[in-house]
């Protein structure tokens, strides 16, 4: 059974940093695409970062490019989202997710079938 457990959220001041973690079980990270989505209050869920197991590349939505970095520790079966220069608009519940097709396209969120429970990030201005 595929399971994902997100952690690391919290309250941080604007300009600060946080690192989110996602512990995965039931699959190997190099067999699936992995990703991070977020949902702000009153808004739709948004894909912000992914790593494809098909071509090994990563993708970021424009609003986080240059500030967020996604990476994985495959022996630990854990992946991370390092968030720097946080802004108030980054406030959201962050979800880690996995795509068994391996593509991990943020434009096709329907393929991300496995989800963690979410961790809240609050950025105060």
């Amino acid at each position: 059974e595929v399971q994902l457990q997100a952690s690391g959220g919290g309250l941080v001041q604007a300009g600060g940093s946080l690192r989110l973690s996602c512990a995965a079980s039931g699959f190997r990270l190099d067999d699936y695409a992995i990703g991070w989505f977020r949902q702000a209050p009153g808004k739709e869920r948004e894909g912000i970062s992914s790593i494809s197991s098909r071509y090994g590349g990563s993708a970021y939505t424009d609003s986080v490019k240059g500030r967020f970095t996604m990476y994985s520790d495959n022996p630990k079966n854990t992946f991370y989202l390092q968030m720097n220069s946080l802004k108030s608009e980054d406030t959201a519940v962050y979800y880690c997710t996995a795509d068994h097709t391996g593509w991990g396209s943020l434009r096709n969120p329907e393929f991300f079938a496995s989800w963690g429970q979410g961790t809240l990030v609050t950025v105060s201005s």
Side-chain angles (χ1 to χ4, degrees):
E1 179 186 4
V2 172
Q3 291 188 330
L4 299 162
Q5 180 76 34
S7 61
L11 175 64
V12 62
Q13 288 189 330
S17 298
L18 275 178
R19 189 182 76 163
L20 305 183
S21 300
C22 184
S25 61
F27 70 102
R28 289 176 33 167
L29 293 187
D30 49 11
D31 288 337
Y32 279 45
I34 51 179
W36 289 95
F37 282 63
R38 68 184 178 187
Q39 188 165 21
K43 295 188 177 181
E44 292 188 354
R45 191 171 294 189
E46 171 192 27
I48 56 174
S49 180
S50 66
I51 295 176
S52 171
S53 60
R54 291 269 187 167
Y55 61 91
S58 58
Y60 297 90
T61 194
D62 286 347
S63 62
V64 307
K65 282 180 182 176
R67 299 189 299 122
F68 291 11
T69 302
M70 180 178 176
Y71 62 99
S72 65
D73 185 336
N74 287 3
K76 292 185 177 179
N77 228 42
T78 301
F79 57 101
Y80 305 91
L81 185 67
Q82 178 66 45
M83 306 185 294
N84 299 329
S85 302
L86 283 161
K87 306 175 182 179
S88 57
E89 51 263 45
D90 295 318
T91 294
V93 177
Y94 284 70
Y95 299 89
C96 57
T97 182
D99 168 10
H100 73 282
T101 71
W103 289 112
S105 170
L106 296 178
R107 292 189 294 272
N108 298 101
E110 64 273 18
F111 291 117
F112 286 98
S114 301
W115 295 85
Q117 84 287 3
T119 185
L120 176 62
V121 172
T122 304
V123 184
S124 63
S125 56

